[in-house]
Amino acid sequence: MRVKLPFSPWHLLLMPLALLFVLPLVQMVATSFMTSAEINHFPPKLIPTALHLEGYRALLSETPVLTWLGNTVLVSTISVLGHLILCSTAGYGFARLKFAGSGLAFLAVVATVMIPMQLLMIPTYLMFARIGIVDTLAAAFVPWLASAFGIFLMRQFFLSLPGELEEAARLDGAGTWRTFVSVVLPLARPALATLTVFTLLSSWNDLLWPLVAISDDHRFTLQVGLASFQGTRRTEWSQLMAGNVIATVPLILAFLFAQKRFVATMAFTGLKG
Amino acid sequence: MALTFAVSPRAASKARRPGPRGSALRRHLTGWAFAGPATLLVVGLSLFPAGWAFVISQAKWNGIAPATMVGWRNYEQLAQDPDMLAASGHTLLLTVLFVPSSIVLGILLAVALNQRIRLIGFYRTCIFVPYVASAAATGILAGFVFNPQFGAVNEVFRHLGIPAQQFLESPSQALYIVCLIALWGQVGFTTVVYLAALQDIPRELVEAATVDGAGKFRVFRHVTLPELRPVTVFTAVWQTITAMQLFDLIYTTTRGGPLNSTQTIVYYIYELAFQTQRLGYGAAAAYVLFAVTLLLTLVVIWYSRRRGAEVF
């Protein structure tokens, strides 16, 4: 059933703004398929004459961009898994289990939110250098295995769950771990999805920390690799845009397929975080 | 076999119902088994390094030669360092421009996207999608769009009869362009937050005001805006932190240039610690950033509360 809506003046505001937000991304994709001659053409063109793959080919032959992509996928996957396991167990512990020192421990976790990453990067770099993981992918994902935000998010969620189901499971003789895995976790799917989106966005897009921690160009993440490639090839626009497409399109596709989930994550960060 | 059967239920019940002290210990251990790993990781990777950073900030150290403790001298030197003062100025200007714009634009866009009109799904997708692109990629893309020779913006200017601009290559424009690009990437976030807040406002509230004869604008001014106030405190704090810690975008657009005109505090810290190996001085600058961020956050909270009380 389609309701016919009258033309609204809001279109006059929304249409130009929507285009302003999305056109640069369209131009990014279009430029990645152009030849240098087309890019330098005057007046500039928005649409390539054909799908030229020169930019992608040159990028593939001049940089280990697929290795970078693989590194980013690996770092993000481990970060997401780390968050899902460590933050959900910790969130459950703080929400439901009464144990000595839990108040103090949770306070310490919350207090860390105030400390900016920029303050921590010098000592963390030195610490990682001492245990020998600087310049490895581990340096990129270890700080992302768990976060105060993730613990907080999961704790809030578990606090909002009614306790009756867990009581019933316990009466049936299930231990704490069994109850958690087979009763609580399945109910936590929305919160776990939010946690996944949050961690994926943060770890995939991070630049500063992997830039500091990794200097071997075969261990770069995509963001670091592109930034360093840009530093040497400032004018190779089709290659730069090809790299940009590789770095952003996976998340953009994920966003288009799971827009509700992404939006819920952003809203949660704002309203409850 | 029979013996085992006879014994095992008792053993099991013993394990399940140990003495009161044993059960308490077990409870604590279970709790720590759940909460311990993440807590240790998060606290160990922040409180401990934060303390160490403070010690380093009291030293003159390049990371290789032995460190010499110099007390508060790094901080004293920072107070007179023209580069640090310039970086602080740029960071503050960026924050003052970015935070109110992202809030006003966020509210405006959220109200627009809350209308029941055609294409609203399309509009929402378009406006939210830049938020998922990394700041690094956004910076590289912006370098193309704002390119003085063949960038799209100068092309549009040409059609409008506006002379071509240097944008990121001009010391007087670069910081404003960086702020604009940051807005492009971040407004989706404030918009989503305000949209969610708008949808949380009870309908009866708006309907009651409308029944009382209030026009659309007055309803917005006296019903909707006050309801958004708590969210605004949050977005103001969040965006302040975002602006104060801006790095990725600067790294892939201007690298602090031209003529240091976009050098922010975080960029300066990065250069000090990881380009010129002045770890002690860099750590001191990082502590200054921490203190200023904390102070500014408190000011924003105080100001939003006070102003909120007066205006509404």
Side-chain angles (χ1 to χ4, degrees):
Chain A
M1 190 184 77
R2 291 211 93 182
V3 188
K4 203 152 195 227
L5 298 165
F7 180 80
S8 155
W10 285 105
H11 286 294
L12 300 177
L13 173 77
L14 282 172
M15 185 52 93
L17 277 174
L19 291 179
L20 198 67
F21 275 85
V22 86
L23 274 185
L25 293 170
V26 172
Q27 202 193 7
M28 172 181 91
V29 177
T31 308
S32 75
F33 290 112
M34 286 186 188
T35 60
S36 301
E38 276 179 296
I39 293 169
N40 293 316
H41 189 268
F42 187 87
K45 294 178 172 177
L46 184 60
I47 307 295
T49 49
L51 286 186
H52 300 287
L53 294 173
E54 278 91 333
Y56 290 89
R57 269 193 217 114
L59 186 71
L60 281 172
S61 68
E62 286 179 33
T63 65
V65 65
L66 292 180
T67 310
W68 298 342
L69 177 65
N71 291 344
T72 289
V73 169
L74 192 74
V75 167
S76 297
T77 310
I78 295 177
S79 302
V80 167
L81 288 178
H83 262 78
L84 288 179
I85 297 166
L86 294 173
C87 294
S88 64
T89 47
Y92 188 70
F94 285 127
R96 285 284 201 266
L97 309 176
K98 308 272 169 281
F99 57 96
S102 65
L104 192 68
F106 186 65
L107 195 70
V109 167
V110 170
T112 66
V113 173
M114 291 308 298
I115 306 171
M117 190 261 156
Q118 290 77 13
L119 178 65
L120 304 176
M121 63 187 182
I122 298 173
T124 307
Y125 178 85
L126 295 168
M127 219 158 73
F128 282 11
R130 207 157 286 184
I131 58 175
I133 59 168
V134 149
D135 223 4
T136 69
L137 285 180
F141 67 70
V142 167
W144 276 113
L145 286 177
S147 67
F149 173 80
I151 297 174
F152 182 78
L153 183 152
M154 293 313 294
R155 176 181 171 268
Q156 290 303 97
F157 179 82
F158 292 131
L159 283 177
S160 74
L161 275 185
E164 284 96 31
L165 278 168
E166 289 153 71
E167 278 307 311
R170 198 149 304 143
L171 288 179
D172 284 346
T176 313
W177 178 250
R178 270 283 303 279
T179 311
F180 174 68
V181 171
S182 49
V183 178
V184 178
L185 271 190
L187 295 173
R189 249 181 243 143
L192 293 173
T194 300
L195 190 63
T196 303
V197 171
F198 163 79
T199 316
L200 181 67
L201 277 177
S202 327
S203 58
W204 186 286
N205 286 342
D206 193 15
L207 172 69
L208 177 54
W209 173 245
L211 180 73
V212 162
I214 298 172
S215 54
D216 173 355
D217 71 351
H218 281 272
R219 300 216 172 89
F220 280 169
T221 59
L222 257 179
Q223 313 297 335
V224 180
L226 289 181
S228 82
F229 177 68
Q230 179 220 24
T232 54
R233 300 290 163 82
R234 282 213 161 252
T235 53
E236 300 289 345
W237 290 112
S238 60
Q239 293 181 51
L240 284 168
M241 291 303 125
N244 257 7
V245 167
I246 297 173
T248 53
V249 162
L251 287 194
I252 290 178
L253 286 180
F255 173 79
L256 294 181
F257 279 114
Q259 187 168 344
K260 276 209 178 116
R261 216 7 84 200
F262 275 73
V263 167
T265 304
M266 289 154 79
F268 181 90
T269 323
L271 296 181
K272 316 225 165 63
Chain B
M1 203 57 194
L3 194 69
T4 330
F5 263 98
V7 166
S8 60
R10 216 190 300 159
S13 78
K14 219 178 187 179
R16 208 175 295 152
R17 252 178 284 129
R21 286 181 74 193
S23 103
L25 180 67
R26 207 193 149 117
R27 192 157 49 85
H28 295 316
L29 284 180
T30 313
W32 276 105
F34 269 82
T39 304
L40 267 180
L41 199 69
V42 168
V43 173
L45 284 176
S46 52
L47 291 190
F48 167 66
W52 193 12
F54 187 70
V55 176
I56 297 172
S57 80
Q58 306 261 335
K60 191 177 160 69
W61 192 27
N62 64 8
I64 303 157
T68 20
M69 299 309 287
V70 292
W72 294 94
R73 206 177 303 157
N74 284 333
Y75 292 89
E76 286 160 16
Q77 209 181 323
L78 273 174
Q80 296 156 13
D81 178 348
D83 288 336
M84 180 65 179
L85 295 178
S88 311
H90 300 148
T91 308
L92 286 181
L93 178 61
L94 202 65
T95 309
V96 167
L97 291 172
F98 177 79
V99 176
S101 334
S102 71
I103 288 175
V104 171
L105 266 173
I107 294 181
L108 181 76
L109 281 171
V111 170
L113 292 177
N114 203 25
Q115 307 298 318
R116 292 165 167 228
I117 55 176
R118 238 175 289 172
L119 292 176
I120 201 72
F122 168 76
Y123 292 145
R124 284 187 189 172
T125 306
C126 289
I127 287 166
F128 300 160
V129 82
Y131 179 74
V132 302
S134 70
T138 302
I140 295 175
L141 175 59
F144 184 62
V145 174
F146 285 102
N147 188 289
Q149 280 85 49
F150 41 79
V153 182
N154 264 343
E155 176 62 13
V156 172
F157 278 16
R158 194 170 66 87
H159 283 286
L160 297 175
I162 303 171
Q165 301 295 315
Q166 290 298 305
F167 299 120
L168 292 165
E169 289 170 25
S170 149
S172 60
Q173 296 173 359
L175 195 65
Y176 298 96
I177 303 297
V178 166
C179 182
L180 204 65
I181 304 164
L183 278 173
W184 181 81
Q186 288 289 324
V187 159
F189 175 70
T190 43
T191 306
V192 165
V193 172
Y194 279 114
L195 191 57
L198 281 179
Q199 291 168 348
D200 270 357
I201 297 178
R203 283 210 146 173
E204 302 84 60
L205 225 56
V206 177
E207 275 161 16
T210 317
V211 169
D212 287 349
K216 268 191 176 168
F217 185 74
R218 287 197 55 195
V219 171
F220 177 73
R221 178 86 167 65
H222 296 284
V223 180
T224 313
L225 269 186
E227 288 287 313
L228 295 180
R229 206 193 309 153
V231 180
T232 301
V233 177
F234 163 79
T235 47
V237 169
W238 186 274
Q239 297 298 75
T240 302
I241 294 174
T242 307
M244 293 285 296
Q245 301 181 350
L246 198 70
F247 173 86
D248 298 10
L249 201 54
I250 294 189
Y251 190 80
T252 53
T253 49
T254 59
R255 303 229 166 162
L259 298 176
N260 278 353
S261 62
T262 54
Q263 172 113 294
T264 57
I265 301 182
V266 174
Y267 200 86
Y268 189 47
I269 296 170
Y270 168 77
E271 278 198 346
L272 285 174
F274 298 102
Q275 307 286 98
T276 56
Q277 322 301 333
R278 296 173 70 189
L279 296 182
Y281 199 56
Y287 254 100
V288 171
L289 171 76
F290 178 32
V292 174
T293 312
L294 210 60
L295 198 73
L296 222 61
T297 306
L298 292 176
V299 169
V300 165
I301 292 176
W302 173 77
Y303 180 76
S304 331
R305 289 236 169 107
R306 206 188 61 127
R307 194 172 151 270
E310 270 175 16
V311 171
F312 306 123

